[in-house]
Amino acid sequence: MSIDYSEKIPNNVDLASDRRLQRALESWQPNFLSWWKTMGPAVPTQDVYLRTAVDVGKEGWAQFGHVAMEEYRWGVFLAERGDDRRIAFGEQKGEPVWQQVPGEYRADLQRLIVIQGDTEPASVEQQRRLGETAPSLYDLRNLFQVNVEEGRHLWAMVYLLHAYFGRNGREEAEALLQRNSGDLDSPRILGAFNEETPDWLSFFMFTYFTDRDGKYQLGTLKESAFDPLSRTCEFMLKEEAHHMFVGTTGIDRVVTRTCELMREHDTADIAPHGGVPLDVIQKYVNFHYSVSLDLFGSERSTNAANYFTAGLKGRWQEERRKDDHQLTEGALSIASVRDGRIASDEVSALLALNLDLRNEYVKDCENGLTRWNRVIERAGLDTRLSLPHVGFNRQVGLFSEHHVTPSGGVVGPDAWKAEEDCWLPSAADKAHVQSLMRPVYEPGKIAGWIAPPTTGINGKPFEYEYVHLS
Amino acid sequence: MSVTADAVRQVEEERLPSATSPAVTFDTAPERYRHWRLAVDGEVATLTLDIDEAGGLVPGYALKMNSYDLGVDIELYDASQRLRFEYPEVRAIVVTSGKDRMFCAGANIRMLAQSTHPWKVNFCKFTNETRNGIEDATENSGQTWIAAVNGTAAGGGYELALACEQILLIDDNSSAVSLPEVPLLGVLPGTGGLTRVIDKRRVRKDRADVFATKPEGIRGKQAVEWKLVDEAIPKRVWAETIAERAAEVAAASTRARTAQGTTQGIALTPLSPTMSADSIAYRYVTATFDRPAGLVNVTVRGPETDAPESLDAIHEAGDTFWTLAMTRELDDLVLRLRANELELGTWLIRTEGDSARVLGYEALLAAHRDDWLVNEIDLYLKRVLKRLDVTSRSLITLIEPGSCFAGVLLELAFASDRQYMLDGTVEEGQTPATIVLTESNLAGYPMSNGIGRVESRFYGDADHLAWLVRESGRAIPAAEALELGLVTDAPDDIDWEDEIRIMLEERASLSPDALTGMEANHRFVGPETMESRIFSRLTAWQNWIFVRPNASGEAGALRRYGTGRKAEFDRKRV
């Protein structure tokens, strides 16, 4: 198959004259398309009003128009940078960044890229059937936008594998399409990406909490001494921001509608009235926040320390930090369970990099809560949403051996079991949310459990026909 | 990756000391020997060890009591080579001492005590190879070595005798043979001693145990009874008995006596390579050093002309005959790199030339196997390939357009830890590389485990070996070579440069010690021989003991020897 590279695959990596990339893509691209057709969005569409990045500049990164999804132009973009970038941290701090993969770090870099790359198509797979219950065409369009962008992020990682990791890289790129979310024989690498996204509330929670983890991971890779990875991630972060927006405003709109129903019916129990009660929203927050915290890995990590020292993975906003950027000294306070209580320990800063990143993430997550609570407050209601304790419902790290309540109490297995349904979505909660999931495909109409957005996409009104179904 | 500025600085700093002490050279000749005298009388040559105390290779020790260092052994190696090539008429070699009542006291202890670990290891490796070469001469060249032990032979002195086919000990009630390393020095008789006593001389293990812990050693009749020596000869009949034994082995020698005119030896003239700080260049072999990357680019060039047609032409060409010249150069290069370039941990091996010509030379040699010179060239090549097998460097072969990895030169690839073959070409006008398997690969040059490199590669897989026999004799392109399992990988032109770069950088980042151990394990599969045991067991244990405080610590036995103070041992058995 021959491809008109510059037209089909918008890029700023000189694809048209790179034989290695062309050759790699020739076999990969058809496989990607067939993956997209079998594992991508299940709802058949004619076209969707999508944003396509055709360049990294202001003009190019967001071109809107109706496109047939399988003709979406997944591009390859690296953020533009000056020539004189220097390594900002680790043992080789101050030296020029690498334009090639140093053999010494091939295995580690490849692993980091593969893990990042594996999450991108995973979420497409997890969200595959969501379109069937979209609350509006606007939301359906946002889902597809997120999906195509996750696809593009896969392309970005595959580009790195193809361009810099030789035959090995090509094989890993192939494997990214062969592993599938939830597949018993060949699952996605990270457990959290093997769960189906069952409903739209989960989708908004996922894009708020789990994609935000992705944002922070990309932020650390953006600092990498391996310049192509750094530049790739910088551009991806731009798109990731949209996913976060979908999550933030999605939960905004659910909370808004919930408050309306609570006022209208003067009760917190709005389930019979077709809404999602605030306590159910809180349980969804509890669940998605806690499983997303697991994605940061163990609080104490020698791997993360090695990556930092080697210059592969920095800290969030590394260059803005005011320390030696080598972490030969310094410590971080780390919470864990001691004698049945939450206690605090000191860990050397170098070993606590996962914790450092998680702390940044937690601060960021708080913003959403503040925002949603403002909605509740404006509605004159007293209830408030909150983030549970970091030790709550954890499967990874120091808390994984313990049962910690949302407020930070340490309880035994029996107490946990007795209260679990008050803290995490119960079967009944899930069934209720599921019962609300009825598709609304009529332009300008929206499902009853969610408020319409305050603005549309790219200046278009909410009523705009964002998706033409087939 | 660009290697960091720091790494480069470190390399430069660490080179400073060696810049002040001259690099080791292996170039010598009998007229320049300081420690040996070579006398040839008809079929019998006598090598007399008479070490110049002040002739140490490195300052800091005196070579007392006929004790040796690397410099002494370089001369011994040179002599053993010249006897093979320059003296085809010699059929017996008598090694004896020029000192009174002291045959040889072994390796100089002060030298060992002051040497770095790598120096000791390299010294032992070279001396082991030389002794293996002596046994090879006895077994395959019809030059039988006899040790005329006319005084005490201690440690390395006795090990030198052990390498000879016969050990004749003077029976003067004072001269003994001994292996005092364990009781006196806290190390092993590591130049084959422990192995040859039980393996070659078939000394019972309990007796070997007694012998190797008895510092004064064993004399006369008991030494004979324990099979440590072949004969104990009274002083008054010493000279005539030695002459008699030499005459006997000469008469029994299988060394080919060829037609008149070809019994003339050939001269091994100085190699005189062109040296610079970062290269060594011979006529057919070139090495350039990439210090930041820690590697040596070794290029072996094939013959410049077609092989001559006659045996006479080989003799006429002498040491300029391609196969011999290339082998000598490679030998010298391996020895220099091992001794002088410790931080160049990867050798990247390439060839350049015309495969058909390489095969032409091989065919010519194959047609004249019964000629003594042809035999010697073949044996020499075998020994040099074995040197590669025990070289503690990562050996990587790159098979590219313009190369001539055919037959004997393809052995370089099989001696390597990995082989990469470019599938296609990177520049216009090139012809893709091919390789040719021949008898040289399938039945030619045994490793120390007694079997060839291809057989070792596919050990136990008779079907695969039979398949390779069917595919021998023709040019095999990259994709097929990969399928036949003859190369590790065959990247195409698009991948080639990056695959090789990443592979080399990755390797350079690994622990040099772990690599040495890993490679030494992977290179030898299947059967063991006495020779392989010397390298795999004796040497490995010795190298471990060398780094232990009980030997080389401040209060260790090796360091305390001769100071009047007792060694202090950490008594824990490990």
Side-chain angles (χ1 to χ4, degrees), chain B residues 448-511:
Chain B
S448 68
N449 61 1
I451 59 176
R453 290 173 187 78
V454 168
E455 191 181 344
S456 291
R457 192 179 178 91
F458 299 101
Y459 185 65
D461 191 345
D463 290 348
H464 199 106
L465 288 164
W467 182 21
L468 294 179
V469 170
R470 292 194 299 275
E471 302 298 334
S472 65
R474 66 176 184 87
I476 300 172
E480 261 187 90
L482 186 64
E483 194 194 338
L484 287 165
L486 299 174
V487 296
T488 312
D489 202 356
D492 64 14
D493 58 317
I494 299 178
D495 287 334
W496 179 256
E497 197 184 331
D498 242 27
E499 292 280 340
I500 301 301
R501 179 187 62 79
I502 288 179
M503 177 267 299
L504 291 174
E505 287 180 2
E506 203 161 22
R507 198 152 191 101
S509 73
L510 303 176
S511 156

Side-chain angles (χ1 to χ4, degrees), chain A residues 89-136:
Chain A
F89 60 97
E91 264 174 356
Q92 297 167 76
K93 176 173 173 277
E95 292 173 22
V97 292
W98 317 318
Q99 299 305 331
Q100 290 290 334
V101 174
E104 183 174 0
Y105 305 123
R106 182 201 60 81
D108 283 339
L109 279 170
Q110 186 174 298
R111 179 88 188 139
L112 286 170
I113 291 169
V114 164
I115 289 185
Q116 182 65 39
D118 197 64
T119 65
E120 312 288 357
S123 60
V124 176
E125 293 162 2
Q126 292 174 288
Q127 297 157 10
R128 170 171 161 68
R129 306 190 65 87
L130 271 184
E132 293 168 359
T133 57
S136 72

